[in-house]
Amino acid sequence: MKLSQGSRYLIDVVLIVVFTMLGRQTHEHGLTPLGIAQTAAPFLLAYLLIRVVGHFAWPSRVGSIWPDAVVVWITTAGLGLILRVLFGATAAPAFQIVTFVTLGLFLVGHAAIRALIRAKSRRSAISSK
């Protein structure tokens, strides 16, 4: 099963929102739509920016683990933290670590799972010939 590029992006966006919801829930900030949107906004803006750049910088590699997923993860987390501070929120060192680890697991993990499924599908197609 091959996901369209738009579906892959949508899954990434959902994972970024889940990351922010987990953080808000852990810190008892509430899961209101406005609160989730405010927390997710810097990371979603960073994600959107790197997706546009990636579309032009490495179009044939979009959806790959390297460079796509790794660069998207690092940029989404790093630029997202910078934007978060510029928007007036905090970014304590512990939060920075959690951000990089969690978004890495989510965004790179999502690409790795897709790569494993693709490889298994290719092996199945080859063995059935």
Side-chain angles (χ1 to χ4, degrees), residues 8-22:
R8 292 192 309 259
Y9 293 169
L10 180 61
I11 291 169
D12 283 349
V13 166
V14 168
L15 290 170
I16 293 167
V17 171
V18 167
F19 156 71
T20 60
M21 291 173 68
L22 290 170

Side-chain angles (χ1 to χ4, degrees), residues 18-43:
V18 167
F19 156 71
T20 60
M21 291 173 68
L22 290 170
R24 290 186 61 81
Q25 184 178 22
T26 299
H27 297 286
E28 299 176 3
H29 291 300
L31 295 177
T32 64
L34 180 60
I36 294 166
Q38 288 173 330
T39 304
F43 300 101

